[in-house]
Amino acid sequence: MTLQEALFNYLLRLGDNALIQGHRLSEWCSKAPVLEEDLALTNMALDQIGAAQAFLKYAGAIENKGRSEDDLAYKRAERQFFNNLMTELPIGDFSFTIAKQLLLSSFEFFLFRGLSQSKDQTIANIAAKTLKEVHYHLAHSRDWCFRLGKGTEVSHEKLQNSVNALWMYTDELFEMGEADEVLMEAGIVFSLKEIKPKWLELVSGILDDANIALPNVDYMQTGSRKGIHTEHLGHLLSEMQFLQRAYPDASW
Amino acid sequence: MANDTQLALWEVFIQSKSGGHHVHAGSVHASDYKMALQNARDVYTRRNEGSSIWVAPSSCFSASGPEEAEMFFDPAEDKLYRHPTFYTMPEGAKQI
């Protein structure tokens, strides 16, 4: 794997995670439990889609085949996406969205803090900007975990069930492959294994404060690094890409 | 009016630039001050309006009503001399 191929692949991972998670958050538009939360979730969706735009634009430039961020977002098929499986899971109920955001944002907190020191200046810049947004996403989901976890019996049970259901998708966030090795050698990225214990410490601390038990799960899902997804991504893409598929290169 | 089934009401004040006044922007529903600050951030500073936010429970505010308006405000109507309009502006001063 050349450095260029590795970088392209890694940027797709970053861009696709942001794009798919952003799309899922946008599904809350007009459906959140209260108006304020409707705005909060869609604000976060826009943060994510902004990050996706930046990463995919850079991915297109690295690939150097004339593909724009829009081409990459709307004209790739399911097997060509490298987002983590967790991002594509349906939004579920509010507790599921909050639990998912907590697990992802706490991962992104360490990821982008590390990448903001990258030798690749473009990645470092996007990571530094994204890190500010992630701080807020993390605070938002953390505080909601406290409220739900220590709220009523029902809210506690819902949050606990959501964390349990999501846990088997967490290992995959830290999977490393050939692209990671190549880029680590060039000083562009760092080892995800380094941040896993820090992530676990942060998440278990928050869950503990929220009276939520750490799930005991043996089986961990895998696949996204190879472009293998859950059955949910295809449906998501059919909706997200509808316009470009039905009216290619439409503009207004 | 239907009963408000949402969380408690908080008043939001936004400061647009550091050093400036906090101006009343509106209100949000929230269960605690952290949520109130976050909701205020999400509702009222999305277009870069803010550099600082104050929130306070709406129940902490007392407001004058229309019935007090005459007593409160009419007596000031004929006291033009309270406006510093009889001074000449020093040259170069934008405001005094």
Side-chain angles (χ1 to χ4, degrees):
Chain A
M1 189 181 266
T2 65
L3 185 66
Q4 185 201 20
E5 285 165 347
L7 190 52
F8 180 60
N9 176 270
Y10 200 93
L11 287 166
L12 289 183
R13 265 156 60 174
L14 297 174
D16 290 349
N17 257 14
L19 180 68
I20 302 302
Q21 177 60 6
H23 185 83
R24 281 302 188 206
L25 285 171
S26 78
E27 292 177 14
W28 278 105
C29 191
S30 83
K31 292 177 191 153
V34 291
L35 181 144
E36 288 86 346
E37 210 49 46
D38 208 287
L39 282 164
L41 293 170
T42 46
N43 274 350
M44 296 194 328
L46 287 174
D47 287 345
Q48 299 270 14
I49 290 164
Q53 200 173 14
F55 283 126
L56 292 179
K57 186 178 179 182
Y58 188 38
I62 292 296
E63 187 195 34
N64 202 17
K65 286 182 183 168
R67 286 205 278 182
S68 71
E69 62 271 34
D70 285 341
D71 293 331
L72 289 170
Y74 299 115
K75 293 178 182 172
R76 271 181 303 152
E78 187 191 338
R79 291 294 293 270
Q80 294 156 339
F81 273 79
F82 296 99
N83 58 286
N84 286 119
L85 301 179
M86 193 193 291
T87 60
E88 70 205 36
L89 299 177
I91 51 175
D93 65 13
F94 185 66
S95 79
F96 193 82
T97 289
I98 290 299
K100 184 171 155 187
Q101 196 63 50
L102 176 78
L103 298 174
L104 282 173
S105 294
S106 48
F107 164 68
E108 287 177 343
F109 171 74
F110 294 111
L111 175 70
F112 290 124
R113 201 172 65 169
L115 289 180
S116 65
Q117 307 298 318
S118 172
K119 278 188 184 163
D120 183 308
Q121 204 50 50
T122 309
I123 290 184
N125 289 346
I126 305 171
K129 180 175 182 287
T130 307
L131 186 60
K132 289 186 197 173
E133 297 164 348
V134 169
H135 275 135
Y136 186 73
H137 303 169
L138 182 57
H140 178 265
S141 50
R142 180 199 59 205
D143 291 349
W144 266 111
C145 278
F146 296 155
R147 293 183 196 109
L148 296 175
K150 292 172 158 175
T152 65
E153 220 172 281
V154 175
S155 71
H156 176 271
E157 190 188 342
K158 284 191 174 188
L159 183 61
Q160 180 71 66
N161 288 343
S162 297
V163 173
N164 292 350
L166 284 160
W167 201 257
M168 65 177 167
Y169 296 95
T170 55
D171 210 39
E172 204 213 19
L173 300 170
F174 304 95
E175 270 179 26
M176 310 241 308
E178 206 187 332
D180 296 73
E181 305 295 333
V182 172
L183 294 172
M184 270 167 66
E185 220 159 279
I188 294 174
V189 306
F190 61 96
S191 168
L192 295 174
K193 290 195 170 60
E194 279 170 28
I195 61 170
K196 196 176 179 189
K198 296 179 192 165
W199 170 84
L200 188 63
E201 195 189 334
L202 177 66
V203 167
S204 45
I206 292 170
L207 293 179
D208 192 46
D209 285 345
N211 286 344
I212 298 293
L214 215 57
N216 190 7
V217 177
D218 291 332
Y219 180 73
M220 286 289 174
Q221 293 280 356
T222 179
S224 77
R225 296 284 194 254
K226 296 194 185 88
I228 295 166
H229 291 275
T230 68
E231 70 267 36
H232 306 296
L233 184 65
H235 294 286
L236 183 152
L237 293 182
S238 69
E239 191 176 315
M240 190 181 84
Q241 297 181 333
F242 167 77
L243 200 92
Q244 273 305 315
R245 300 292 190 189
Y247 308 98
D249 302 319
S251 65
W252 68 63
Chain B
M1 208 172 100
N3 283 334
D4 194 344
T5 56
Q6 303 213 48
L7 300 165
L9 203 59
W10 296 67
E11 298 303 321
V12 178
F13 299 83
I14 304 285
Q15 181 195 49
S16 53
K17 270 187 277 178
S18 171
H21 300 292
H22 283 71
V23 177
H24 188 238
S27 54
V28 292
H29 292 95
S31 63
D32 52 70
Y33 78 92
K34 274 190 182 176
M35 198 202 285
L37 279 174
Q38 289 178 7
N39 285 349
R41 179 262 190 194
D42 283 321
V43 176
Y44 294 111
T45 68
R46 302 165 65 226
R47 299 179 184 88
N48 212 11
E49 296 97 332
S51 63
S52 159
I53 304 172
W54 288 348
V55 291
S58 303
S59 58
C60 289
F61 286 83
S62 310
S64 68
E67 63 276 11
E68 283 126 335
E70 240 176 58
M71 162 178 90
F72 273 18
F73 309 118
D74 286 2
E77 260 175 22
D78 58 354
K79 297 184 176 65
L80 256 178
Y81 49 84
R82 287 182 181 164
H83 292 275
T85 50
F86 303 101
Y87 299 95
T88 42
M89 288 282 277
E91 212 176 314
K94 291 200 179 87
Q95 57 180 45
I96 52 173

